Amino acid sequence: MIAGLALLVFLGWSWWQSRLPGSYDVMAYGAVDDGGGQPIAHHHFSVAALTGPTGKPDYSLTLTAEKAPVRLASGQNVKAWTFNGSAPGPEIRVRKGQLVQVTLVNKDIGEGVTIHWHGLDVPNAEDGVAGVTQNAVEEGGRYVYRFRPEQVGTFWYHTHQDASHGVKQGLYGALVVEPKKKPRGLDLALPVHTFAGHTAIGTHDDVWRRRVPAGTPVRLRLINTDSSAARFRFSGMPSVVAIDGAGITPTPLLPDEEIEIGAGGRYDVALPMPNGVASVSVVNSRAALVLSPDGTGDPPETKSGPVFDPGTRSTGSTGYAQAKFDRTFDLTISQKIGFLNGKPGRHWALNGKLYPNVPMFEVAKGDLVRINLNNDSSSVHPMHLHGHHVIVLTHDGKPVSPWSTDTLLMLPHDRYSVAFRANNPGLWMLHCHNLKHAADGLTMHLMYAGVTTPYRAGKSAHNDPE
Ligand code: C2O
Ligand code: CU
């Protein structure tokens, strides 16, 4: 009887204290982990001061978030949330070093909108995370983003306010940074998205055919904007040339070899256009792109093959083999029974703790940082660190051929070690890009010592990054 009462009191207390206030600092509950490094002197600085460059933009664009129907190639109409009336939103294609200015206007998205530049290491105040680096833009509001991309490659942009809902509804688009001297040939950014159950490349939810003269250099930039991994099959003998916006030594795919891209990830493939069909198909869907000199043809019947593993190919990227790390963090993802914001259930836990009592990794500018990631769950977690790209060092304890990534696909029970140079001060999210998982608490922050944010997350603050 007494034990029963005590349990009830304990449960009541656990429930009560798990509820998030209407407005809170995301740093208020985290447990600071310094990764075993040198103590850090704290000079306080605010996220809000870490803005992009001033001056006259080389490229400017206004993106208006608005509800609009989107017509898929099959004729299907879906209700969507769009940028400038389309989903995917307009492709942003800029050149390295240009000053880019994007003005976000929210016409009628009651939930609010922001724009996050996924994979681009922009200054922190331009990172677009509601309640962390800015307030969500409410209906009728606007926000100006400015940055100068120094990375060349394939990225994407998406809302980071209520992202699990907003991205699914269509608030995303492709972002390509070209080298200063643009290579010739056909270059297509291919954001893949599932609209109301219809998987599409762009808006093509069936076979999309394009006429391409034989011999044309072709580059295809595959972007997975969904919350689950997507698999791709090819014909025409492409090579993998980039992963997550970072070039690799061109690596020909083996016959039947497939590419699996985790949620949020990108792969670029390239090929010289053959005198026949070259194609890419999204496995388990009707969506495919067929290129041929006469604009006809079908994706060939191919059988399922092995999945491309960058860790076993020579990607040409140099790791931090002999490096001495300034800090080493461990991050274990598991599930735990408890209350998450008042909701009882089995929730994602980071180092055994439920959001918001998750670890915060503290670094100093210049640190070489290692993170040992451990997926101690039977689910897939594409882990995304904002503002940095990491080099993969080991997989399941064994050294790999290092490659650079910003969204690491972790299969059930995978263990990886990654490393990065802390060279972009601020407060950065580290979360699962299965955005449902993130909304269910699989999210935490990397903080530079001394950083503060004037923004607040929570219902009454109208900021909910996930
Ligand atoms: Cu593409 Cu924090 O997200
Ligand atoms: Cu996950």
Side-chain angles (χ1 to χ4, degrees):
M1 171 69 187
I2 302 246
L5 206 64
L7 180 65
L8 220 65
V9 167
F10 172 74
L11 285 176
W13 175 81
S14 305
W15 169 77
W16 180 259
Q17 66 91 45
S18 82
R19 295 175 333 138
L20 288 166
S23 168
Y24 66 99
D25 183 335
V26 294
M27 300 174 73
Y29 300 91
V32 177
D33 178 346
D34 67 7
Q38 293 293 313
I40 304 172
H42 288 73
H43 306 285
H44 289 284
F45 63 100
S46 168
V47 158
L50 303 169
T51 52
T54 56
K56 192 175 159 305
D58 302 301
Y59 174 99
S60 53
L61 174 71
T62 298
L63 290 177
T64 302
E66 56 184 306
K67 295 181 179 158
V70 166
R71 193 178 170 79
L72 302 179
S74 66
Q76 186 84 23
N77 273 304
V78 291
K79 281 194 194 142
W81 295 357
T82 71
F83 285 116
N84 298 358
S86 66
E91 176 177 312
I92 298 180
R93 220 173 241 269
V94 296
R95 279 200 308 280
K96 177 180 168 156
Q98 285 189 318
L99 177 50
V100 177
Q101 175 173 308
V102 176
T103 304
L104 165 63
V105 176
N106 181 359
K107 187 172 160 207
D108 60 7
I109 307 297
E111 286 79 352
V113 189
T114 65
I115 302 178
H116 169 59
W117 315 98
H118 184 119
L120 258 199
D121 303 338
V122 299
N124 198 210
E126 315 294 342
D127 197 43
V129 180
V132 178
T133 66
Q134 68 172 96
N135 286 319
V137 177
E138 308 222 29
E139 275 176 272
R142 62 175 56 222
Y143 191 91
V144 178
Y145 297 93
R146 292 166 65 89
F147 50 86
R148 204 186 281 284
E150 295 302 338
Q151 299 152 272
V152 168
T154 307
F155 307 93
W156 62 300
Y157 64 89
H158 63 77
T159 186
H160 223 305
Q161 158 72 358
D162 193 9
S164 57
H165 192 203
V167 177
K168 194 170 175 11
Q169 291 296 111
L171 290 174
Y172 69 91
L175 168 58
V176 175
V177 184
E178 293 178 337
K180 288 198 171 124
K181 194 172 165 292
K182 186 186 161 76
R184 59 174 203 96
L186 176 69
D187 181 323
L188 296 174
L190 306 173
V192 172
H193 193 77
T194 302
F195 294 93
H198 303 265
T199 298
I201 301 177
T203 52
H204 297 268
D205 56 338
D206 51 15
V207 180
W208 172 24
R209 294 180 179 84
R210 274 187 74 133
R211 210 186 64 78
V212 184
T216 308
V218 174
R219 184 183 189 106
L220 305 175
R221 304 168 182 270
L222 297 163
I223 307 170
N224 182 3
T225 73
D226 279 333
S227 267
S228 49
R231 216 176 258 210
F232 299 88
R233 245 171 236 169
F234 302 86
S235 68
M237 299 200 293
S239 293
V240 178
V241 294
I243 300 172
D244 285 355
I248 67 166
T249 308
T251 307
L253 285 174
L254 306 171
D256 298 327
E257 198 172 24
E258 299 177 356
I259 289 178
E260 181 163 57
I261 308 183
R266 291 90 58 213
Y267 266 70
D268 294 14
V269 299
L271 62 150
M273 187 58 204
N275 198 4
V277 164
S279 66
V280 48
S281 331
V282 187
V283 173
N284 289 328
S285 86
R286 300 179 51 223
L289 168 66
V290 170
L291 310 175
S292 63
D294 62 1
T296 66
D298 286 295
E301 292 290 332
T302 51
K303 49 181 189 334
S304 162
V307 173
F308 179 85
D309 174 8
T312 61
R313 306 292 183 90
S314 166
T315 56
S317 155
T318 45
Y320 295 107
Q322 255 71 61
K324 214 185 126 315
F325 295 97
D326 298 296
R327 293 168 204 284
T328 299
F329 299 100
D330 294 314
L331 184 59
T332 296
I333 302 162
S334 64
Q335 284 190 298
K336 189 180 161 185
I337 290 173
F339 293 95
L340 181 75
N341 194 12
K343 265 193 299 180
R346 222 168 155 226
H347 299 292
W348 302 114
L350 293 172
N351 290 351
K353 301 282 189 206
L354 300 184
Y355 187 84
N357 305 108
V358 290
M360 284 192 295
F361 293 163
E362 187 182 49
V363 298
K365 188 171 181 206
D367 282 349
L368 189 59
V369 180
R370 178 177 179 126
I371 305 180
N372 302 318
L373 294 154
N374 176 10
N375 180 2
D376 193 12
S377 81
S378 42
S379 300
V380 172
H381 303 294
M383 295 302 290
H384 174 48
L385 172 62
H386 285 213
H388 305 75
H389 34 284
V390 304
I391 302 286
V392 182
L393 306 175
T394 69
H395 180 201
D396 291 340
K398 289 188 274 305
V400 295
S401 153
W403 80 97
S404 174
T405 173
D406 53 58
T407 316
L408 179 65
L409 177 61
M410 297 188 75
L411 299 180
H413 303 288
D414 262 347
R415 284 177 299 125
Y416 280 100
S417 281
V418 300
F420 66 94
R421 180 70 70 183
N423 53 9
N424 196 4
L427 179 57
W428 302 100
M429 292 191 94
L430 169 54
H431 66 93
C432 180
H433 223 282
N434 178 330
L435 296 173
K436 271 225 175 63
H437 291 181
D440 289 337
L442 221 175
T443 183
M444 58 171 289
H445 294 87
L446 169 76
M447 55 180 283
Y448 282 64
V451 73
T452 62
T453 177
Y455 305 108
R456 294 293 174 263
K459 248 201 162 53
S460 58
H462 297 279
N463 287 321
D464 171 15
E466 306 295 2

